[in-house]
Amino acid sequence: MDFTHPIFLFVFLPLTLAVFHIARTFAGGRQALAVAALASLVFYGWWSPLYLLLLAGTIVFNYWMAVRIAEDRSSGLLAFAVCVNLLLLGYFKYRNFFLENAGLLLGHDWSLGAVFIPLGISFYTFEQIALLVDIGDGRAAKPKFLDFVLYVALFPHLIAGPIVLFRELDHQFEKLRRGAFAGLQYFGPGLVVFIFGLFKKVVIADNLAVYVNYGFNPQFTLTMLEAWAAAVGFGLQLYFDFSGYSDMAVGLALMLGFELPINFDTPYRATSMIDFWKRWHMTMTRFFMMYVYSPIALAWGRVAMERGMGNWQTFCLAVAAPILATFLTSGLWHGAGWTFVMFGLVNGIGLVVNHAWRQARLPVLPGAIGWLMTMITVTVSFVYFRAADITQAHTMLAAMVSPSKLIMPNWLSGWADRYGLPWDTLILFNSGTFTAKMAAMLLVAAILSVLLPNWAKTWPTMVPRIRLAAATAAMVWLVGNWLGVSRTFIYFQF
């Protein structure tokens, strides 16, 4: 059951909302919180009761550790708890990756067979680590058990984020207990934001997936134009798929009366890599900046000061190296494979270059050039993100920059002969009709990625208007036409 499944949309969600708000109105805030917690556990257990036990086990363990750490501020307890969480995540997500690579180094073929990754394990593990660290640093107090359960398992953000900090939810839980909660005040905007996210996923991302899956088929070797179309298509698919999920998460939380942080802020308007990562997967970026980059940068910056290093030496040690370490870690967080390591490395290098440009006080690039360079860098990184392996990624990237791969499709042979260009029967662009449909889909998606409003961000200013009602009704109609063929969210694998 995911957010696009009919059972979720027409059974689980209406029932949960009704029982939650009835409990809140007639029984009280604590009972409403218990309803939300129970519904969230049922939502997660729909996939696998066995992994519901894993989720429940991590919650009990981390709550116990949170209480212990809050009582004596032990750095040893904190280190132990963080290590246990990382070892659990590593066992389920990275065991084969490390075994296979160790085996390659030692000349052995080591593997534990197929790995099933529990849904959302990366997200709920990092959220619990964040709270433990915040308690250890004195930025958070000992939580109530029910609040802790809801912080980790609240179903709108449980499977694929946003990655929430405890301080963003605990005061909302307390308001609900005191009867000072928003109630149904946010329900209307939440419904609109949810439908908007559903539209992004079902109508745009899932229709792009048809072309992207064909283009990234490992059996096919693409020409330059085909490779660029597949790469750009995946960048758009990923954006609408994940931002669609994130918008739905915000909308669902609002329908319950809770506010979640946004995850995307029109990232394809970014004119630099720094700007892009302030807009893309914002809660993940925040987590890695707070709990990975900042500690490394502060420690290595102190070393640079103690040793009296020059400006560029300090930059390399206290800025460039922490950025690369952070984004390599971020790449591995996305998946256990060298393709994800390369995804992190490309973005890390792009950010280092961006910061070095500012450090050198070079002229600010015109917006159009900055945007183009940013989009090219991001697109290259997404090729690694989507490719089945490093070989496929490098084959596609080589096709994107190789003049010998500039080949026209056979249905443009007359035009190609006129200008002395080679032509052939192509894999992806094998017919004019298919190519026209793909080009139209890419163009529409690209325009929408830049021009669509960010209702997950601006919902507090949303007011009922005829135009808003018409747009929402149109999205519902379009979703209804494609809902039956919806596919799993890309980030469910993480």
Side-chain angles (χ1 to χ4, degrees), residues 190-208:
L191 181 61
V192 172
V193 173
F194 177 78
I195 291 170
F196 186 44
L198 194 61
F199 166 78
K200 284 181 174 182
K201 164 61 177 171
V202 173
V203 178
I204 304 177
D206 286 353
N207 279 287
L208 283 168

Side-chain angles (χ1 to χ4, degrees), residues 276-336:
F276 179 82
W277 280 103
K278 288 179 179 178
R279 297 168 176 262
W280 179 278
H281 204 345
M282 295 158 65
T283 59
M284 183 207 70
T285 303
R286 176 182 65 178
F287 177 90
F288 279 102
M289 290 297 105
M290 289 176 62
Y291 301 105
V292 181
Y293 173 82
S294 292
I296 296 174
L298 287 171
W300 292 355
R302 192 176 300 115
V303 170
M305 290 180 60
E306 291 172 353
R307 297 187 179 182
M309 292 182 176
N311 288 341
W312 281 105
Q313 288 177 308
T314 300
F315 173 84
C316 290
L317 186 62
V319 179
I323 286 174
L324 291 175
T326 300
F327 272 82
L328 287 172
T329 306
S330 168
L332 268 179
W333 175 84
H334 281 87

Side-chain angles (χ1 to χ4, degrees), residues 412-443:
L412 286 178
S413 58
W415 181 86
D417 288 338
R418 182 182 305 173
Y419 292 96
L421 296 173
W423 57 269
D424 202 345
T425 301
L426 306 184
I427 297 294
L428 189 58
F429 296 161
N430 55 13
S431 74
T433 302
F434 182 88
T435 306
K437 288 181 180 178
M438 182 177 183
M441 190 68 209
L442 291 177
L443 179 61

Side-chain angles (χ1 to χ4, degrees), residues 10-24:
F10 304 117
V11 180
F12 175 85
L13 181 59
L15 185 61
T16 298
L17 290 173
V19 175
F20 174 83
H21 285 294
I22 290 172
R24 176 185 57 79

Side-chain angles (χ1 to χ4, degrees), residues 435-465:
T435 306
K437 288 181 180 178
M438 182 177 183
M441 190 68 209
L442 291 177
L443 179 61
V444 169
I447 292 172
L448 292 178
S449 72
V450 175
L451 296 183
L452 278 178
N454 190 357
W455 283 340
K457 178 182 180 181
T458 62
W459 67 264
T461 62
M462 191 179 292
V463 294
R465 288 196 177 98

Side-chain angles (χ1 to χ4, degrees), residues 33 36-41 43-44 51-64 66 85 88 119-132 135 143-170 173 245 260:
L33 288 172
L38 179 61
S40 298
L41 295 176
F43 172 79
Y44 191 84
Y51 287 102
L52 174 59
L53 292 177
L54 175 67
L55 172 64
T58 66
I59 289 173
V60 171
F61 169 77
N62 283 295
Y63 179 74
W64 178 62
N85 280 281
L88 186 69
L119 284 166
I121 188 169
S122 295
F123 291 91
Y124 68 70
T125 299
F126 273 25
E127 285 174 342
Q128 292 180 98
I129 289 175
L131 178 53
L132 293 174
I135 292 173
K144 297 180 176 68
F145 181 70
L146 186 56
D147 290 1
F148 187 86
V149 173
L150 271 174
Y151 162 64
V152 177
L154 188 65
F155 72 88
H157 75 88
L158 171 59
I159 305 300
I163 299 175
V164 183
L165 301 177
F166 184 70
R167 57 179 172 270
E168 292 173 321
L169 287 178
D170 65 332
F173 299 151
Y245 179 95
L260 294 181

